[in-house]
């Protein structure tokens, strides 16, 4: 399995750490109720098909990546950095 | 029997080898199997279940019978080696396996005579009474009888390697299809890898004889290989079996680097390759199927293609009087070539009533074999045919039930092969593996001419997909005969056992019984009968078996389907895929700068994650670790100790939003921390449990230095990256691990400041202060922090000065009655102070459990705050951190459980457990930390500590976890 | 038909013509008292115990493929009761007791072999953690023995005690731990359930769950609609898809766990060995293959197959621990679909829909749980109440924070 890191190019799966569904990106606000947190932390669509999940280029550029892929075929459709590209260059 | 003038063996290089202790000779270019056949050896093995005598069946890696142990010096041996793959070399020692006491006389052969009672799945129905007999009697007997070869029980001392390879086009298989594909791509300039499992490339072109391009096929192969090997963009990988297809063009492949020669210290035995290919042409060929008839497993009964291979490639006649039996045309060539070579062909048996009867030998049509004789080697067969029944004296029966395309790799990504009625075989499903094109025989295309064309076409298409054009190559003239087959799956209406799976001893009766008992799906049949689960993974038998099942259940073959093909294609040694793992190679080793200095002082180094840290520093006269540890603890409490704490994770954090960021990841507040000060921080996982703790220093307005525990350093770094990139990527904060940039030493004890003073001008830091300092011109950092509870400092210098500083600090400490202290003392010191480590924050504890819930700031959000507030995460039912002190003078043990005195000791009454213990020479008592239900409310009570495993049962007093200097006077002093 | 050695001989003498089907192939009825979705180990044992313990025989097991086609036929066959958290300990202890009587209970030889499980440890800290575990096992009434390095050497002399990366400090021996023949467990329960009247319906995929006014009323299948007032979802790696038919999202992610078997070898390994530092465990089957595995591939997947990084890691772990297996050749690898729960512990509970029950979240440890899971799921479906030994396997425990995290790696997905 290979992922194309937007910064580093195509790399073997062993360079990456996996962290599950991109649900983790949608952190509830402080004060949201227990159900919101339960949904955020635990409940998952867990699709058999296209999914969006999070990978960390641990042995590369340390980017967190959002990967669009198929959980049945393992086909990779897209790899994007989680952090939006810096706007207007360096501050 | 060796024939003159044939084959690609090197007759100028005779080779001596032994089999079961007897010396034989063959030639370079032989396999063990061809050499044994040349020496007239037909009995080479015993079957798995009935211990039936068995001979060589095939000429390839699919061999189910001829498996041997290869012996080397120093108790090294390789079991289950296919004699058909093992190349002959001088001094090769092979031994037959799965027999006792000898191959010719095997006592377990008795199984064959009681086979009616050993039908498929019989063991599920018996051996149940009396119950203890299963483990004491039945199972040990079964285990000893089962198994094939044996391991030496000694460490494998062989050398193995792993490697990566990348290419535009991977061609798997170097028969006509693969050669044409490789040539096409190579001439187009593509980066090509051509891998073939055989030691000589050419595939069936070498085995079949015949002509290509008007010259002997083997000569044409030689010409193509010469061209390919001269090209810089081509890598030829013979002896390399591509064993598995994985995602995104990645393949596993095993190269037998030196198994064809006597062991050489400079060569690995095998190399496991990870090949990453832009495109792949699968040209894996096809495997011939046996036919099912009574006692079709006798030594001397072989595949027709194998007989042809031994004849053409090795110059060996597999028998003196050969008979052929086939349901297709392809076997006829075998007979003709044998006769041309002067080998007597007794008859051709064609199962088809309408096939041609015109050959140079007797041909029987509509033939079915009724029986065979010859226990240790075939002597005769009885056959019914359109003209009646005949008995034929013969010592070799070459059979062909047709060909199965080698679809395996196309199924590794869950592709299901498709049944093709016209060739009575499964072919690959289209696009079963992305970017892989099957071509040639593995795709159901059997004539040489068609294979050449299909291989070239597949390569052109593959290159086109990579955006490269490959010009046509001139394809040579070659055999282009149609393939005609009439399926023949089993012999009807005969008694006697007809073998399907030779290696696992599965017969047509077993498959029928499985259907009779409603193990009717192909997977049930496989699992119930063990069909296809032997070392050949059903390569010889699966299609035949499912045809028999289809017949028994009344379903068609396509409806019955196949079992799942899974990697590896051919078995791969654990050592090859695990190359590099032996000994210390399994995981990185991390050493502190003080490592050598500690070893110089005799300190035993112990593993702390990937790091090595000194346990203690023994002094002359000390005989136990406890003596050294006690002394080191007293030394720190009384004078000064020095310890290397560089393994702690260090993360440098900078930016205008650094403070805000720390407030988010820590439960407590760091934005209020003044520059030049250090604060203890607690970090939660988002699930509300404690992730890590440590101190963070503010080095400047927008500059912090975070410390993590040794164990969690990587985890915390990843966590910070996630929180930053996922939740606040627009904040102005950047961080980097500086763990290996700084060497850091703890200087602890009442004389710590005095020691520091000898180093030069040092700032007078308040407790939890930090300042830059200069040591001999080197920029360093001084922290006033303590993990021992004493007046304590940590001094950090760039890593390259670490060892020098450590040695220097020790020398200074020793003049003051101090010295180094190790992990054991460090542990006692922190237990005396009630400081926690990952023994306490073991992933299930909350801030509440360790009494730090007040550190979760109410004024701000932080990671984990919401989850930590769930009802199950707080409350009296949870186990809380307490100190434990034995009531009498006795040792405590970590891992013991706690019970209320007077109550029964059982799971239901369990009150908690002990996490850390140590002997405090200061308090002259064992001390423990542990978790106790509602523990904080029970301080002062007595609790019973029970450790069944170590035989400890005693009473403790529940204490505050801080045993030493609770007010922190020494710390701040 | 009762199986016995006598019967095997008798049938053998008469050409094995008299063996009857192990189970029937009934057509689905229009209505059952209860339906179990999933004909794997857990589903079949649930059906068996519903019939045996609760007298419910008008029930059906619906299986989309063949019986035992899930993880029951694709695992490393380890049976153990070595948990240390309240909630897990009593459950697996109960399962072990059921295992110990399973052959006579089912009249089927599942080849349960209590050859002993040794968990190795490699530091003082790990020793203490295993001591905590072992003491809990004894408190629960099970067995555990703490071995030092020499003790391990007596049992496993072939380990690399000299050069291995993480020196062996000792091991926790669980004498009653062992293995069983995985397929036989499914077949034994299937045959037992069938004999008690349960309809086992293969090639019958559930395509919908019928719910009216918050109550389950039946299921839609590829073989027609079937009514039932009680429906149990026991589908392991497919739990999320089936629950979605009832509009539910489960705390489950499906992951791949690979395992491996070598060619047959004469006996060399008598125990089950677990090497936690290397995520490696191994035993030798009665047929002679070394059966071993490691950690998850670590990405959500339904592919039943894995990739090389974990394959190689497992082999490397084997080589550092016991280099004597180097020349054993891996014959086959496979991947199971693991229903990973956030805390690594299972769920056996009611749902918010009346009559709809769920049994899932077995992570990579479902095989040993098969008897107790069925026992407790049957109890729940029959009585509406959780069985006492499965009382903590609540569906809502993540919302309430009553976490059962044996590994301590975190009660979030993908930390296990």
């Amino acid at each position: 399995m290979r992922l194309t890191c937007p910064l580093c190019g195509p790399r073997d799966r062993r360079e990456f750490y996996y962290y599950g569904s991109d649900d983790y990106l949608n952190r509830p606000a402080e004060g949201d109720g227990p159900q919101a947190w339960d949904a955020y932390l635990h409940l998952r669509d867990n699709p058999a098909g296209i999914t969006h999940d999070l990978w960390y280029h641990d042995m590369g550029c340390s980017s967190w990546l959002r990967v669009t892929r198929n959980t049945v075929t393992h086909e990779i459709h897209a790899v994007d950095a989680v952090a939006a590209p810096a706007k207007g260059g360096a501050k | 029997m060796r024939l003159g003038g044939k084959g690609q063996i090197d007759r100028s290089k005779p080779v001596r080898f032994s089999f079961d202790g007897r010396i034989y000779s063959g030639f370079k270019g032989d396999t063990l199997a061809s050499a044994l056949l040349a020496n007239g050896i037909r009995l080479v093995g015993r079957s798995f279940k009935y211990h039936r005598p068995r001979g060589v069946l095939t000429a390839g890696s699919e061999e189910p019978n001829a498996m041997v142990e290869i012996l080397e010096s120093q108790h090294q041996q390789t079991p289950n080696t296919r004699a058909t793959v093992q190349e002959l070399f001088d001094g090769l020692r092979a031994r037959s396996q799965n027999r006792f006491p000898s191959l010719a006389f095997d006592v377990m052969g008795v199984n064959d005579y009681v086979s009616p009672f050993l039908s498929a799945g019989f063991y599920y129905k018996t051996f149940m009474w009396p119950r203890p007999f299963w483990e004491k009697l039945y199972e040990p007997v079964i285990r000893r009888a089962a198994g094939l070869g044996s391991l030496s029980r000694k460490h494998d001392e062989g050398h193995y390697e792993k490697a990566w390879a990348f290419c535009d086009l991977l061609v798997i298989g170097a028969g006509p299809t693969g050669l044409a594909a490789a040539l096409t791509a190579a001439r187009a300039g593509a980066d090509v890898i051509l891998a073939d499992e055989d030691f000589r490339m050419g595939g069936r072109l070498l085995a079949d004889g015949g002509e290509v391009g008007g010259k002997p096929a083997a000569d044409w192969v030689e010409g193509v290989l010469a061209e390919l090997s001269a090209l810089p963009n081509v890598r030829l990988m013979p002896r390399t079996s591509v064993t598995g297809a994985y995602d995104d063009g990645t393949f596993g492949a095993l190269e037998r680097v030196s198994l064809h020669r006597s062991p050489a210290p400079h060569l690995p035995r095998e190399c496991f390759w990870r090949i990453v290919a832009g495109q792949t042409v699968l040209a894996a060929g096809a495997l011939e199927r046996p036919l099912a008839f009574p006692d079709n497993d006798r030594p001397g009964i072989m595949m027709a293609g194998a007989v042809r291979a031994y004849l053409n490639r090795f110059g060996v006649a597999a028998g003196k009087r050969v008979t052929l039996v086939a349901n297709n045309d392809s076997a006829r060539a075998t007979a003709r070539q044998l006769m041309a070579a002067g080998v007597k062909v007794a008859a051709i048996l064609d199962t088809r009533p309408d096939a041609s009867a015109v050959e140079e030998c007797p041909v029987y049509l509509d033939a079915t074999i009724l029986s065979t004789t010859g226990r240790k080697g075939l002597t005769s067969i009885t056959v019914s045919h359109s003209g009646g029944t005949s008995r034929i004296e013969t010592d070799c029966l070459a059979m062909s039930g047709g060909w199965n395309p080698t679809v395996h790799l196309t199924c590794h990504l869950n592709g299901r092969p498709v049944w093709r009625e016209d060739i009575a075989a499964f072919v690959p499903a289209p696009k079963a593996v992305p970017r892989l094109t099957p071509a040639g025989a593995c795709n159901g295309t059997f004539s040489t001419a068609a294979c050449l064309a299909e291989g070239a076409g597949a390569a052109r298409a593959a290159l086109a997909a990579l955006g490269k054009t490959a010009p046509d190559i001139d394809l040579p003239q070659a055999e282009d005969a149609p393939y005609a087959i009439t399926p023949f799956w089993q012999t009807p209406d005969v008694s006697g056992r007809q073998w399907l799976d030779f290696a696992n001893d599965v017969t047509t009766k077993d498959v029928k019984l499985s259907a009779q008992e409603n193990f009717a799906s192909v997977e049930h049949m496989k699992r119930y009968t063990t069909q296809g689960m032997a070392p050949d993974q059903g390569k010889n038998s699966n299609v035949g078996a499912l045809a028999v099942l289809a017949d028994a259940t009344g379903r068609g073959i396509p409806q019955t389907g196949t079992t799942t093909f899974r990697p590896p294609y051919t078995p791969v040694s654990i050592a090859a895929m695990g190359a590099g793992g032996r000994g210390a190679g399994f995981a990185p080793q991390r050493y502190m700068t003080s490592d050598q200095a500690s070893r110089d002082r005799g300190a035993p180094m112990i593993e702390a994650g990937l790091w090595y840290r000194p346990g203690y520093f023994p002094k002359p006269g000390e005989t136990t670790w406890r003596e050294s540890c006690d002394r080191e603890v007293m030394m720190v409490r009384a004078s000064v100790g020095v310890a290397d704490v560089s393994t702690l994770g260090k993360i440098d954090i900078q930016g205008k939003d650094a403070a805000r960021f720390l407030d988010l990841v820590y439960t407590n507040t760091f934005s209020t921390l003044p520059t030049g000060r250090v604060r203890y921080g607690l970090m939660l996982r988002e699930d509300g449990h404690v992730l890590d703790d440590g101190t963070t220093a503010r080095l400047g307005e927008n500059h912090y230095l975070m410390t993590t525990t040794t164990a969690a350093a990587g985890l915390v770094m990843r966590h910070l990256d996630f929180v930053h990139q996922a939740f606040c990527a627009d904040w102005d904060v950047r961080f980097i691990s500086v763990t290996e940039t700084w060497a850091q030493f703890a200087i602890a004890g009442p004389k710590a400041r005095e020691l520091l003073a000898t180093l030069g001008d040092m700032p007078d830091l308040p407790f939890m202060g930090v300042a830059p300092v200069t040591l001999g011109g080197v920029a360093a950092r001084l922290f006033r922090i303590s993990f021992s509870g004493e007046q304590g400092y940590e001094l950090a210098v760039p890593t390259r000065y670490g060892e020098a500083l450590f040695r220097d600090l020790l020398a200074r400490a020793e003049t003051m009655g101090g010295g180094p202290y190790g992990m054991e003392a460090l542990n006692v010191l922190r237990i005396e102070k009630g400081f926690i480590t990952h023994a306490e924050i073991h992933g299930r504890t909350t801030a509440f459990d360790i009494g730090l819930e007040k550190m979760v700031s109410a004024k701000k959000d932080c990671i984990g705050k919401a989850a930590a507030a769930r009802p199950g995460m707080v409350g009296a039912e949870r186990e809380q951190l307490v100190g434990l002190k034995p009531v009498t003078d006795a040792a405590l043990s970590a891992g013991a459980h706690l019970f209320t005195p007077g109550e029964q000791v059982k799971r239901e009454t369990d009150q908690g457990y002990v996490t850390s213990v140590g002997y405090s020479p200061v308090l002259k008592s064992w001390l423990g930390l542990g978790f106790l239900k509602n523990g904080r409310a029970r301080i002062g009570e007595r609790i019973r500590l029970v450790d069944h495993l170590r035989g400890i049962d005693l009473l403790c007093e529940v204490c505050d976890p801080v045993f030493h200097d609770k007010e922190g006077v020494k710390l701040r002093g | 038909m009762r199986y016995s050695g006598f019967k095997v001989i008798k049938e053998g003498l008469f050409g094995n013509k008299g063996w009857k089907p192990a189970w029937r192939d009934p057509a689905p009825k229009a209505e059952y008292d209860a339906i179990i979705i999933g004909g794997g180990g857990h589903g079949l044992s649930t059906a068996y115990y519903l019939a045996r313990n609760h007298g419910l025989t008008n029930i059906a097991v619906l299986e989309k493929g063949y019986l035992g086609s899930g993880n029951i036929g694709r695992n490393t066959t380890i049976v153990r009761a070595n948990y240390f958290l309240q909630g897990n300990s009593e459950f697996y202890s109960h399962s072990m007791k059921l295992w110990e009587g399973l052959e006579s209970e089912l009249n089927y030889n599942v080849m349960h072999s209590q050859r002993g499980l040794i968990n190795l440890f490699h530091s003082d800290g790990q020793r203490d953690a295993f001591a905590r575990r072992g003491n809990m096992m004894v408190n629960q009434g099970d067995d555990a023995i703490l071995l030092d390095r020499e003790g391990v050497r007596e049992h496993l002399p072939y380990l690399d005690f000299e050069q291995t990366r993480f020196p062996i400090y000792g091991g926790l021996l669980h004498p009653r731990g062992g293995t069983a023949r995985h397929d036989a467990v499914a077949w034994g329960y299937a045959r037992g359930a069938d004999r008690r009247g349960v309809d086992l319906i293969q090639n019958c995929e559930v395509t919908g769950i019928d719910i009216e006014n918050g109550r389950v009323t039946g299921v839609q299948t590829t073989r027609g609609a079937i009514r039932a007032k009680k429906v149990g979802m026991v589908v392991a790696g497919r739990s999320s898809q089936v629950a979605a038919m009832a509009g539910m999202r489960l705390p489950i992610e499906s992951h791949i766990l690979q395992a491996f078997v070598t060619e047959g070898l004469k006996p060399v390994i008598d125990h089950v060995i677990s090497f936690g530092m290397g995520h490696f465990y191994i035993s030798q089957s009665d047929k002679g293959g070394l059966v071993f595995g490691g950690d998850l591939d670590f990405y959500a997947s339904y592919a039943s197959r894995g990739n090389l990084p974990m394959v190689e890691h497992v082999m490397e772990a084997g080589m550092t621990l016991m280099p004597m297996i180097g020349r054993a050749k891996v014959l086959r690898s496979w991947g199971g679909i693991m229903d990973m729960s956030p805390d690594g512990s299972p769920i056996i509970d009611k749902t918010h829909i009346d009559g709809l029950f769920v049994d899932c979240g077995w992570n990579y440890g479902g095989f040993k749980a098969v008897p107790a899971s069925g026992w407790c799921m049957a109890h729940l479906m029959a009585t509406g109440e959780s069985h006492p030994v499965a009382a903590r396997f609540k569906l809502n425990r993540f919302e309430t924070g009553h976490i059962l995290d044996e590994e301590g790696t975190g009660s979030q997905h993908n930390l296990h």
Side-chain angles (χ1 to χ4, degrees), chain B residues 125-140, chain C residues 2-6 100-105 107 109 111-112:
Chain B
K125 299 166 179 163
T126 181
F127 301 137
M128 288 179 278
W129 186 88
R131 199 188 121 65
F133 273 41
W134 170 248
E135 270 159 43
K136 296 211 161 48
L137 175 66
Y138 304 136
E139 189 183 38
Chain C
R2 197 166 169 78
Y3 292 157
S4 66
F6 173 73
E100 286 168 344
L102 208 54
E103 273 94 2
S104 54
E105 171 72 31
N107 178 229
N109 187 358
M111 302 184 187
H112 180 216

Side-chain angles (χ1 to χ4, degrees), chain C residues 225-236:
Chain C
I226 307 174
R227 289 191 304 279
K229 292 193 177 65
K230 289 180 179 178
V231 174
M233 304 183 284
V234 193
V235 291

Side-chain angles (χ1 to χ4, degrees), chain B residues 48 72 76-80 82 98 116-117 119 123-128 131 134-135 139 143-149 151 153-156 160 162 246-247 269 274 412-414 504 513 516-519 521 523-524 526-528 533-535 537 564 566-568 571-575 577-578 581-584 586-589 607 610 612 685-687 842-844 870-873 894-897 899 905-907 910 913 947-950, chain C residues 3-5 8-9 12-13 16-17 19-23 25 66-67 73-74 84 86 90 100 103 107-109 111-115 127-128 131-132 134-136 138-140 144 146 158-160 163 165-167 172 181 183-184 187 202 263-267 269 278 284 286-287 292 303-308 311-312 315-317 319-320 323-334 398-402 405-412:
Chain B
F48 176 77
E72 292 166 33
Q76 302 285 294
Q77 71 188 54
T78 312
N80 300 340
R82 278 71 173 162
N98 197 35
F117 313 117
S119 60
Y123 29 75
Y124 301 125
K125 299 166 179 163
T126 181
F127 301 137
M128 288 179 278
R131 199 188 121 65
W134 170 248
E135 270 159 43
E139 189 183 38
R143 288 190 63 167
R144 270 198 292 279
L148 293 165
L151 292 172
R153 294 168 188 258
K154 303 279 185 264
H155 299 340
D156 178 2
Y160 302 84
K162 279 197 274 202
Y246 299 92
D247 286 311
R269 285 168 50 80
R274 287 72 59 98
H412 284 180
L413 303 190
N414 294 343
N504 260 2
L513 177 62
Q516 177 187 327
E517 297 192 67
N518 205 11
F519 288 88
S521 88
E523 283 283 353
H524 278 158
K526 165 192 148 180
R527 291 155 185 267
Y528 194 59
M533 294 166 79
Q537 286 284 286
T564 312
R566 294 190 183 274
V572 183
S573 70
I574 291 174
M577 284 196 283
R582 266 215 69 180
F586 178 58
Q589 294 171 291
E607 291 74 21
L610 298 178
Y612 291 87
R685 292 189 307 240
E686 192 71 279
D687 74 353
H842 48 49
R844 286 170 294 269
R870 288 175 289 176
M873 304 284 276
H897 284 244
F899 295 89
V905 172
K906 53 181 184 177
R907 194 252 318 152
D910 194 292
Y913 56 96
D947 188 336
H948 305 285
L949 305 189
R950 288 124 153 177
Chain C
Y3 292 157
S4 66
V8 167
I9 289 168
L13 290 174
N16 289 303
K17 298 275 189 240
W19 295 113
K20 298 278 187 302
W23 44 75
D25 264 328
Y66 59 94
L67 297 175
R74 221 170 281 127
F84 73 95
Q86 300 267 4
E90 58 266 40
E100 286 168 344
E103 273 94 2
N107 178 229
Y108 207 83
N109 187 358
M111 302 184 187
H112 180 216
S113 170
Q114 295 184 299
R115 51 186 72 176
R127 173 190 295 125
D128 295 341
R132 178 186 171 194
N135 278 312
M136 187 55 150
V138 176
N139 290 337
Q140 170 59 33
L146 201 63
Y158 46 77
L159 299 186
D160 188 347
Q163 300 170 56
R165 172 65 179 84
F166 299 104
L172 185 68
R181 169 83 180 98
D183 288 323
W187 300 338
Q202 305 185 65
E263 296 172 341
L265 298 160
K266 293 297 175 194
I269 296 176
Q284 186 171 15
D286 286 344
K287 277 182 66 191
F292 61 104
S304 299
R305 62 178 181 82
N307 275 289
L308 280 174
V311 176
E312 294 175 30
M315 307 295 157
E316 287 164 14
M319 288 309 289
T320 196
M324 76 146 181
I325 62 173
R327 296 192 185 191
K329 293 193 276 293
V330 175
L331 179 60
R332 192 172 172 87
S333 61
W334 62 92
F398 305 101
E399 187 181 332
T400 64
H402 294 88
D405 182 4
E406 289 265 336
E407 283 188 21
T409 43
S411 62
Q412 284 173 252

Side-chain angles (χ1 to χ4, degrees), chain B residues 481-766:
Chain B
Y483 172 71
I485 179 173
T486 305
F488 182 92
W489 301 117
Q490 57 182 325
T491 305
D493 310 320
V494 287
S495 60
R497 286 171 289 165
Q498 308 180 33
W499 263 260
L500 294 164
D501 190 326
F502 292 85
N504 260 2
D505 275 330
V506 180
T507 68
T508 55
K509 277 185 187 168
D510 294 313
V511 174
K512 288 173 197 165
L513 177 62
S514 131
Q516 177 187 327
E517 297 192 67
N518 205 11
F519 288 88
S521 88
V522 67
E523 283 283 353
H524 278 158
M525 181 276 285
K526 165 192 148 180
R527 291 155 185 267
Y528 194 59
T529 63
T530 73
Q531 160 63 43
M533 294 166 79
D536 73 339
Q537 286 284 286
K539 289 191 185 77
N540 297 289
S541 56
N542 270 354
V543 173
L546 66 91
V548 173
L549 179 68
D551 183 57
T553 58
R555 295 181 307 229
I557 291 174
Q559 289 72 42
T560 302
T562 63
T563 54
T564 312
F565 297 83
R566 294 190 183 274
Y569 172 66
T570 47
V572 183
S573 70
I574 291 174
M577 284 196 283
R582 266 215 69 180
F586 178 58
Q589 294 171 291
R590 303 182 77 179
Y591 298 106
M592 302 188 295
T593 58
S594 63
D595 189 81
Q596 192 56 51
S598 295
R599 290 176 198 263
D600 288 349
R601 287 169 176 264
M605 304 303 284
I606 55 181
E607 291 74 21
L610 298 178
W611 292 94
Y612 291 87
R613 301 185 72 177
Y616 54 94
F617 293 84
K619 289 249 173 167
E622 290 173 353
T623 54
T624 67
W625 70 270
R626 261 290 302 285
E627 283 179 68
S628 308
C629 175
D630 287 357
R631 173 184 49 75
E632 289 171 13
V633 171
M634 292 307 289
M635 174 185 79
V636 172
R637 296 275 180 241
S639 58
V640 61
V642 175
D644 191 337
V645 295
S646 306
T647 63
L648 295 179
K650 297 177 276 291
I651 301 172
D652 193 279
I653 303 171
Q654 303 193 34
K656 282 208 294 291
D657 293 315
R660 195 177 161 201
F661 181 69
L662 288 171
D663 286 350
L664 178 59
V665 295
Y666 274 126
T667 61
N668 47 335
T669 311
F670 280 79
S671 49
T672 56
L673 181 69
T675 299
R677 299 304 293 260
V678 183
R679 185 168 283 169
Y680 175 77
L682 191 67
M683 210 179 274
L684 305 182
R685 292 189 307 240
E686 192 71 279
D687 74 353
H689 296 93
V690 176
L691 167 64
D692 199 38
D693 67 346
T695 57
T696 286
R698 191 165 199 168
L699 303 177
E701 175 62 21
N702 298 323
H703 189 189
Y704 290 81
L705 183 71
M706 175 187 285
T707 308
T708 75
T709 58
T710 302
L715 211 68
V716 169
M717 188 67 200
R718 187 166 71 211
H719 175 68
L720 298 187
D721 270 330
F722 180 75
V723 172
H724 178 225
Q725 294 175 36
F727 304 141
C728 51
D730 55 336
W731 290 7
D732 180 7
V733 58
R734 292 293 181 270
F735 37 88
I736 191 167
S737 167
V738 293
T739 304
E740 296 186 350
T741 312
W742 295 88
Q744 193 154 319
F745 304 97
I747 302 157
K751 294 185 184 169
R753 190 177 299 140
E754 192 184 325
L755 187 152
L756 275 180
T758 70
L759 289 170
D761 204 14
M762 289 287 152
D764 182 21
L765 288 179

